[in-house]
Amino acid sequence: MRLCIFLIFTLHTIMPSAQEMEWSNPRKLKGNAIFSYVIGEGEQGIYLLRYRNRFFSRQVILERYREHLGFAEARSFKLSRSRLVRAAMINNRIHLFFSTYDREYARNYLSVRSYDENLQEWGKATVLCSSPQTDYYDRGDFRVELSNYGTEVLVANSLKNGEARDLVLRTFSAENWNERDSITLDISASGLTNRVGQIEFDNGKDIYVLHEWRSRSNRRSWTDHSRYTLYHVNPAEGRRQAVVLGDSNIFIQQPRIAIDRTHNRALITALYSEVNPLTFNGFYHLVYDPVSGASSYARTEMDEELKRTLITDKGKRPEEELEDMAILKVIPNLDGGVTIVSEMASITSEEDIVNVNGVPQAMSRNIYNFGDVLVLSLDSLFHLRWNYVINKNQSSMNDGGYYSSVVVAHTRSHLYVIYNDQMRNNGDVFQYTIDNQGRVNYKILLRSNEDYVSVIPGEASQIGYNKLLLPVNKDRRFALLKLTYPN
């Protein structure tokens, strides 16, 4: 069963005590399957997928670790004509969702295969749905989302309808894979570029979809910029509604949906600007009530003192707007407010001309920069309660930022931020602990004085309300680290 992690902070404060740490034995990985994906934890242990690239193609390896992280067994799968869309653990079974292209009928099929906790196949593969090929390169854009208790599954895929574009939403029972409901949304927007963003499936009933479309600028100095629409769908009740984020006077960036189950509402948080689609001046908030369909919005403007703390360009003045920030997590609070974790991040490209055997050739490189982390807590009116800036500076080249950025986890009363420090100099791994009143403690979580240790932020997963699983590079070997936090 999928663990339900409620994204809330309690109103009382509990002083943190030391967390428990459990290590797996370091393993030297064979072959090219170096990327990992944490599926979840069941009664018989913890389950991972390992694969050779970030796109779940060609070959994947399913692995099981015992309760205390001892390696138990592995099973390999070849994906010559299929692509893995999603892996999930429901009711102590592992479910792998595959997209397969049928050349004869020019259709893409979504299927699910199930395995028990000993990695033995459970029943036969089940075809959930199919979609006609829209163009020569279309190999299916299926999205699979689970309800918070894991008892229902949502499948979304786009469908070409003449010149228009539709989004098909289907819900299935995870017990027998019977289709329950189906609904189609018209997501076309004046023929401009369309993209489906975040999808949330709440309580097996309410579906939230963020849809991005490109809007042509009314100023010559600006390029086309993104506009966003929130769709709310309840197939069982035949309800659907669309809410446009912002208005024509502001620009929205990076909207994220957070489900506030305490108050039965959806919160959409984004960066906003009134002057430029590439910069931001604060945070935009949309509050949506799924019962009445009513919505309201608010803004949280950054003051000059906070901007001055986040500025990396010495030539920029604090009254100017900022740029290059990524929203990492939005956590609804019990009091109706919200806690936001964001990070200064950017990618720069450089190109050099080098001579190879007397022939000039262009060599390009991408530099991944990850800077300060901003933790910001707002009250029920979205006014600032407190904020804290974690100062760090991570930079790497041509690695996709594999060891950069941060891991964010939370319990009922504390927020945890973990990152690699001074990666080029065998730095330590730091952990910051922040309670709901903004009090901060930090420490060295892992020292690199004996072994080279780096966590892999993009592969970390919170597998329980107080459990965090970290894939780690330990002295050039793969290891797992499980952290269990107090409440």
Side-chain angles (χ1 to χ4, degrees):
M1 175 178 180
R2 185 188 179 190
L3 292 170
C4 175
I5 303 173
F6 290 92
L7 304 181
I8 58 177
F9 278 165
T10 55
L11 295 179
H12 61 283
T13 301
I14 304 173
M15 295 306 294
S17 58
Q19 71 266 16
E20 298 178 6
M21 301 176 61
E22 285 186 293
W23 281 97
S24 71
N25 292 327
R27 299 171 53 214
K28 187 174 182 180
L29 301 180
K30 297 180 180 179
N32 296 321
I34 60 173
F35 296 97
S36 302
Y37 175 82
V38 178
I39 300 175
E41 184 176 23
E43 294 179 356
Q44 300 298 320
I46 293 173
Y47 297 84
L48 272 70
L49 275 179
R50 194 176 306 286
Y51 45 105
R52 63 180 299 173
N53 56 49
R54 298 187 179 189
F55 306 105
F56 293 97
S57 61
R58 296 190 181 182
Q59 183 172 352
V60 295
I61 301 172
L62 182 61
E63 296 183 344
R64 178 171 73 90
Y65 291 78
R66 299 183 182 92
E67 181 182 1
H68 298 291
L69 298 185
F71 178 74
E73 56 190 323
R75 181 169 180 173
S76 178
F77 303 88
K78 289 186 178 180
L79 303 175
S80 57
R81 297 184 180 180
S82 300
R83 178 177 57 89
L84 187 60
V85 177
R86 179 73 185 267
M89 190 154 197
I90 306 172
N91 295 329
N92 290 314
R93 292 199 185 102
I94 302 100
H95 303 282
L96 305 182
F97 297 87
F98 293 89
S99 175
T100 304
Y101 173 64
D102 188 321
R103 186 185 301 272
E104 181 179 357
Y105 296 99
R107 296 187 70 87
N108 293 297
Y109 292 85
L110 181 71
S111 305
V112 58
R113 300 178 192 170
S114 302
Y115 301 85
D116 63 20
E117 290 195 284
N118 295 315
L119 308 187
Q120 299 302 310
E121 193 163 358
W122 183 275
K124 296 182 179 180
T126 301
V127 176
L128 298 180
C129 56
S130 67
S131 177
Q133 186 183 33
T134 57
D135 56 53
Y136 180 78
Y137 297 100
D138 179 27
R139 291 299 180 267
D141 61 351
F142 296 106
R143 299 268 296 273
V144 177
E145 302 293 337
L146 274 64
S147 63
N148 47 303
Y149 288 107
T151 54
E152 294 85 16
V153 173
L154 168 69
V155 176
N157 69 280
S158 65
L159 187 66
K160 193 173 182 180
N161 184 8
E163 296 298 324
R165 197 81 175 180
D166 293 337
L167 181 67
V168 182
L169 303 169
R170 300 180 179 92
T171 62
F172 298 85
S173 167
E175 181 179 356
N176 52 25
W177 303 118
N178 289 336
E179 183 175 328
R180 290 186 172 179
D181 297 289
S182 177
I183 196 167
T184 301
L185 294 176
D186 180 0
I187 57 172
S188 300
S190 304
L192 301 178
T193 303
N194 293 267
R195 188 182 74 87
V196 176
Q198 185 181 355
I199 299 177
E200 290 290 331
F201 188 28
D202 185 36
N203 293 323
K205 299 185 302 181
D206 295 297
I207 303 169
Y208 299 96
V209 179
L210 274 176
H211 175 237
E212 176 187 0
W213 48 281
R214 303 291 289 177
S215 175
R216 293 189 174 90
S217 173
N218 55 3
R219 298 194 184 186
R220 293 182 179 180
S221 60
W222 292 345
T223 59
D224 294 347
H225 53 273
S226 294
R227 295 290 185 188
Y228 297 90
T229 301
L230 173 70
Y231 288 97
H232 167 232
V233 178
N234 189 316
E237 299 178 4
R239 180 184 302 175
R240 65 175 74 187
Q241 186 163 342
V243 180
V244 177
L245 273 64
D247 52 46
S248 59
N249 296 320
I250 65 172
F251 303 98
I252 299 295
Q253 300 178 43
Q254 302 179 49
R256 291 181 64 95
I257 305 171
I259 306 300
D260 182 1
R261 296 190 176 92
T262 303
H263 301 89
N264 189 29
R265 61 183 186 173
L267 301 176
I268 292 82
T269 301
L271 300 171
Y272 85 91
S273 169
E274 295 179 334
V275 299
N276 194 316
L278 302 179
T279 62
F280 66 92
N281 195 48
F283 293 92
Y284 168 90
H285 315 277
L286 175 72
V287 181
Y288 178 81
D289 185 337
V291 177
S292 65
S295 60
S296 61
Y297 74 92
R299 302 184 200 174
T300 304
E301 184 176 351
M302 290 186 178
D303 59 30
E304 291 189 6
E305 181 179 356
L306 180 55
K307 288 182 180 179
R308 189 178 292 109
T309 304
L310 297 171
I311 286 176
T312 56
D313 182 1
K314 296 181 179 179
K316 185 180 286 292
R317 299 188 302 272
E319 64 269 18
E320 296 180 358
E321 294 194 342
L322 300 177
E323 56 186 343
D324 297 331
M325 176 176 277
I327 298 177
L328 302 180
K329 188 174 284 290
V330 179
I331 307 170
N333 302 337
L334 272 180
D335 62 357
V338 68
T339 298
I340 305 170
V341 183
S342 55
E343 180 181 36
M344 305 301 292
S346 64
I347 303 174
T348 57
S349 298
E350 295 182 354
E351 187 171 293
D352 293 330
I353 303 297
V354 297
N355 286 317
V356 179
N357 297 326
V359 179
Q361 295 185 6
M363 302 290 291
S364 61
R365 55 189 177 187
N366 293 324
I367 301 174
Y368 297 85
N369 305 296
F370 294 84
D372 296 342
V373 174
L374 170 63
V375 182
L376 181 139
S377 181
L378 309 176
D379 62 19
S380 58
L381 298 177
F382 301 104
H383 297 156
L384 180 65
R385 294 174 59 215
W386 54 262
N387 68 78
Y388 186 83
V389 177
I390 300 174
N391 299 118
K392 69 176 181 68
N393 184 11
Q394 299 169 315
S395 181
S396 61
M397 186 186 304
N398 292 337
D399 67 345
Y402 189 60
Y403 294 104
S404 299
S405 193
V406 299
V407 180
V408 181
H410 59 87
T411 62
R412 295 188 179 97
S413 56
H414 290 86
L415 180 76
Y416 301 90
V417 178
I418 300 172
Y419 67 92
N420 299 308
D421 183 53
Q422 299 180 6
M423 295 180 296
R424 295 181 180 179
N425 300 315
N426 292 353
D428 301 320
V429 177
F430 274 80
Q431 175 177 277
Y432 278 74
T433 303
I434 307 175
D435 71 10
N436 55 8
Q437 301 300 317
R439 291 186 285 256
V440 180
N441 292 299
Y442 64 91
K443 66 178 182 180
I444 296 177
L445 179 67
L446 304 172
R447 294 186 179 274
S448 292
N449 51 359
E450 295 182 0
D451 297 326
Y452 174 78
V453 178
S454 290
V455 300
I456 308 173
E459 297 180 358
S461 178
Q462 188 163 348
I463 58 176
Y465 79 94
N466 68 336
K467 294 180 182 180
L468 178 64
L469 191 67
L470 297 169
V472 176
N473 183 340
K474 188 176 183 181
D475 197 21
R476 303 187 184 277
R477 293 172 179 263
F478 175 81
L480 290 177
L481 172 62
K482 183 167 71 171
L483 301 177
T484 304
Y485 294 104
N487 291 336

